[in-house]
Amino acid sequence: MVAEQAERAPHAPAVTCDGRTLTYRQLDDRANRLAGRLRAAGLAPEGVVGVLVPRSPELIVALLAVLIAGGAYLGLEPDDPAARHALLLEDAGAAMVITEEAAGPELRERLPGTVVTVTEGDPAQEPATAPAAPARPGDPDRLAYVSYTSGSTGEPKGVGVPHRAVDRLVRGADWVDVHAEDVFFHLAPVAFDASTFEIWTPLVNGCRLVLFPPVAITLEHVARVVRAERVTVLLLTTGLLHQMVSSHPEAFADVRHVLTGGDVASPGHVQHLLARYPELLFTNGYGPTENTTYTTCWTSSTLPELRSVPIGRPISGTRVAVLDEDLRPVPVGECGELYVAGAGLARGYLGRPAATAERFLPDPFGTEPGARMYRTGDLVRWLPDGTLEFVGRADDQVKVQGYRAEPRAVEVELERLPGVRHAVVLPQPDPAGGTRLLAYVVPAEPGPEGNADLGRRLRHDLRESLPDYLIPWAILVRPELPVNRNGKIDRRALPTATRVPRNVPNEFVPPVTEVQTRLADLWGDVLGIEPVGVDDDFFDLGGHSLLATDLLVATQREFDVDLPAQTLYMSPTVAELATALSERLGTAGPDGRADAPGGPADAAGEERPR
Ligand code: ADP
């Protein structure tokens, strides 16, 4: 389908990132050459290829090349720990990984299997070690990609998605109207299936795809790129949408269609957005990875006074049913579990027939032999107008910074670490309107470390294997945990902390100057941590991009200075930020540790990728 666009409009821009653009012809040529190299390296049909490439035109070349070569891509997050990369590659049976040339030999050495590099720049420079592999009509049931979701056993599960499922999302949709002049935006990690919509919808429809540069995501930078590139179709996951509407509503000025999804949308934010831009089309999309990005969508330009934003109707190519425990349809208005069927269904969990059979059931309503339906674990109800309302989860799964998280998976990981007898992980609200994880741990035996030290060490050790969003905000060590009458741990009796002790292993250095003291207090409020030391890193303490926005708003209020988010990324400790702030306030000098070694002398320059 992308090759057809390259035939139709070879010189039309296909991908833009940071000032570099590939036309459809260039994209297709480069992807074909790389596909030839993948085949020459022995890629088998449906062979899984890890793609470890930061957002760049080369990322899109790599993804397309894997598909052309008949393989399935597995998007890896450059920021994730190496152990996580290795685990996913092994679980998916990936024999090959694509990295960028600039990745350096150390990275290439620690990646398992054959490493193929994608080079930046002129298509003519692409090493021609093998003839280009022309795209051929593929089998719609062939695997297109593998996307990992957190599993409750502690083992991530690889969802295998075929081409047919992507086709049903990106072509001829009845819930989004795509024009060739549209400009799409890619921001979501490729490991996450929102990227399926972001990347392939524009490229099979001949639109231009703008990639956010490979740097830390800040709201103001996203807003700037969206406006400068005149993005017209914009998907922001729910948490990001809320914050963008609150802090940078001007970002939507040229946008024609805004889509969200991933978590419960707030009616207030949606109403606010639509009141400001009455022409804007808005979609609340709902769906699990197992049914390819979106399952149901609610598209409108107005939001009536409702207690929630509906998740809408099944999209084209998808059927849904709301069933009770005996798999009987429930009446309108009653809560039931959502089951989904149709062309969007994944093949199942790679290499896990038992887990697949548990969630992908025979479809009693299907007309085709062998039809299956996926049990979502989501509770919903039909509204009288024929749309669906999301009610909640039937299990413990939560969303943390837009990612699916099973608290049990983090418990399993904690219990694997030395010194831990028992771990309980609880979700709780965070001040940015999202959810964060709090862990309670019972030590194996009273060890040489104090409780607080053990908690800090465990949190640090988890970073070796888990992605950032799964690292608990705090790990509180207790000699025992409350039990109920059955002798089971009583999760409800565990206190939900709003403030927890400092949770990083670097030495505590108290604030000295007034600016540092006021800043440390603000950090404590936003992060719920105490005490905060001047050398503590905002992101190590549990900060993330949405909390960064809260901190900057609080800083603005406290000091009456508008700090760009970039400053926090470049100066992520209290001491560094105090110096940056003092410079703005015109009070730099003895107070700001500006001269201290390791201080912010090098603070100018690029944003730090995180
Ligand atoms: P996605 O990419 O759509 O976030 P995931 O597989 O990561 O897919 O997560 C799917 C789960 O996220 C759903 O089962 C549901 O619990 C929740 N979810 C997704 N979209 C919405 C939405 N619009 N409203 C409420 N919950 C949602």
Side-chain angles (χ1 to χ4, degrees):
M1 290 189 271
V2 181
E4 275 165 24
Q5 296 301 329
E7 283 290 307
R8 190 187 61 83
H11 305 297
V15 181
T16 303
C17 182
D18 238 356
R20 276 202 304 136
T21 295
L22 295 182
T23 63
Y24 271 89
R25 169 63 52 232
Q26 289 168 329
L27 171 66
D28 193 46
D29 279 354
R30 291 190 57 188
N32 272 296
R33 281 170 204 264
L34 183 56
R37 287 169 55 213
L38 293 174
R39 284 204 188 130
L43 180 65
E46 294 205 342
V48 178
V49 181
V51 175
L52 182 53
V53 180
R55 270 187 309 271
S56 58
E58 286 63 40
L59 168 64
I60 308 301
V61 169
L63 299 177
L64 188 57
V66 174
L67 299 180
I68 292 172
Y73 64 79
L74 162 64
L76 296 170
E77 276 313 292
D79 286 348
D80 277 353
R84 169 99 178 162
H85 292 156
L87 173 79
L88 301 188
L89 288 166
E90 193 196 326
D91 189 83
M96 270 180 222
V97 188
I98 305 181
T99 62
E100 51 174 355
E101 182 103 299
E106 330 72 70
L107 176 92
R108 273 177 252 154
E109 265 160 35
R110 66 171 172 67
L111 288 169
T114 310
V115 177
V116 178
T117 52
V118 51
T119 40
E120 189 186 303
D122 183 356
Q125 304 290 313
E126 195 76 54
T129 50
R136 338 181 251 253
D139 172 2
D141 287 319
R142 189 192 288 156
L143 214 55
Y145 65 83
V146 180
S147 181
Y148 273 84
T149 70
S150 148
S152 54
T153 55
E155 307 290 332
K157 292 183 291 188
V159 180
V161 177
H163 283 253
R164 180 194 301 285
V166 181
D167 185 17
R168 92 90 168 71
L169 179 79
V170 301
R171 263 208 312 190
D174 59 357
W175 46 278
V176 56
D177 193 17
V178 182
H179 312 294
E181 317 76 70
D182 272 324
V183 180
F184 279 64
F185 190 59
H186 168 51
L187 181 69
V190 179
F192 180 44
D193 84 339
S195 67
T196 310
F197 173 82
E198 289 180 343
I199 295 172
W200 302 116
T201 309
L203 295 182
V204 307
N205 288 290
C207 312
R208 186 162 74 97
L209 171 60
V210 173
L211 312 193
F212 186 71
V215 294
I217 293 172
T218 66
L219 293 170
E220 78 198 44
H221 196 166
V222 170
R224 210 161 30 173
V225 177
V226 165
R227 293 217 62 187
E229 298 283 358
R230 300 199 166 262
V231 170
T232 61
V233 181
L234 177 63
L235 190 163
L236 294 175
T237 46
T238 316
L240 257 185
L241 176 84
H242 292 163
Q243 293 228 324
M244 196 62 105
V245 169
S246 304
S247 63
H248 290 278
E250 77 287 353
F252 302 97
D254 299 314
V255 179
R256 190 174 69 69
H257 196 149
V258 168
L259 304 102
T260 195
D263 212 336
V264 179
S266 119
H269 286 91
V270 176
Q271 262 149 359
H272 191 77
L273 176 69
L274 294 178
R276 179 162 171 156
Y277 299 108
E279 304 289 302
L280 190 70
L281 267 182
F282 169 81
T283 293
N284 183 27
Y286 153 89
T289 306
E290 289 83 343
N291 195 42
T292 317
T293 312
Y294 283 152
T295 293
T296 65
C297 281
W298 183 83
T299 298
S300 179
S301 280
T302 50
L303 177 61
E305 284 298 323
L306 287 174
R307 61 188 160 179
S308 64
V309 185
I311 56 170
R313 303 166 201 278
I315 67 171
S316 32
T318 282
R319 286 177 292 111
V320 304
V322 184
L323 306 179
D324 66 14
E325 281 173 3
D326 299 320
L327 301 188
R328 283 181 314 224
V330 302
V332 173
E334 265 178 45
C335 182
E337 188 170 342
L338 184 68
Y339 290 77
V340 307
L345 279 194
R347 205 185 269 182
Y349 303 112
L350 240 59
R352 292 181 202 280
T356 304
E358 199 182 301
R359 304 300 291 202
F360 292 82
L361 313 175
D363 179 2
F365 313 101
T367 45
E368 283 170 31
R372 298 171 311 149
M373 67 177 183
Y374 172 70
R375 173 175 196 178
T376 64
D378 287 313
L379 301 175
V380 299
R381 64 167 72 93
W382 286 113
L383 298 174
D385 69 354
T387 63
L388 287 165
E389 180 181 43
F390 181 83
V391 176
R393 284 293 301 176
D395 58 17
D396 295 334
Q397 182 181 297
V398 289
K399 279 296 177 87
V400 177
Q401 294 168 49
Y403 294 93
R404 237 154 95 166
E406 302 265 4
R408 180 69 203 134
V410 183
E411 291 172 359
V412 170
E413 207 58 34
L414 271 169
E415 284 170 357
R416 276 188 195 141
L417 293 176
V420 177
R421 165 164 313 157
H422 206 83
V424 172
V425 174
L426 301 173
Q428 55 170 257
D430 82 3
T435 298
R436 64 185 170 201
L437 301 177
L438 173 65
Y440 281 93
V441 157
V442 181
E445 56 204 44
E449 294 169 293
N451 281 352
D453 283 343
L454 175 61
R456 285 195 283 268
R457 198 236 321 145
L458 294 173
R459 201 167 166 273
H460 181 259
D461 290 354
L462 282 182
R463 288 193 186 278
E464 297 282 309
S465 56
L466 291 182
D468 263 4
Y469 68 92
L470 287 180
I471 307 294
W473 161 61
I475 298 176
L476 304 177
V477 179
R478 298 285 180 267
E480 56 193 30
L481 299 176
V483 287
N484 62 21
R485 264 183 286 161
N486 302 331
K488 285 192 173 172
I489 290 185
D490 188 353
R491 289 165 181 263
R492 273 176 302 181
L494 283 165
T496 58
T498 48
R499 283 260 180 181
V500 295
R502 188 170 166 275
N503 57 7
V504 282
N506 58 293
E507 199 188 323
F508 173 70
V509 181
V512 180
T513 68
E514 193 205 321
V515 174
Q516 288 176 347
T517 308
R518 282 160 70 194
L519 262 184
D521 280 350
L522 286 183
W523 285 36
D525 290 343
V526 169
L527 294 163
I529 303 279
E530 63 191 1
V532 171
V534 292
D535 291 333
D536 297 353
D537 183 300
F538 181 78
F539 299 95
D540 291 345
L541 288 171
H544 52 76
S545 57
L546 300 185
L547 286 172
T549 308
D550 285 1
L551 176 71
L552 293 166
V553 170
T555 312
Q556 211 277 337
R557 226 180 287 132
E558 172 80 14
F559 295 94
D560 201 18
V561 172
D562 214 359
L563 278 184
Q566 200 180 349
T567 312
L568 177 62
Y569 284 89
M570 289 177 341
S571 314
T573 67
V574 168
E576 290 169 343
L577 196 66
T579 305
L581 197 61
S582 301
E583 278 163 12
R584 289 267 178 145
L585 291 166
T587 57
D591 78 342
R593 298 208 334 167
D595 303 320
D602 59 348
E606 277 282 270
E607 288 182 20
R608 301 200 336 198
R610 294 205 75 104

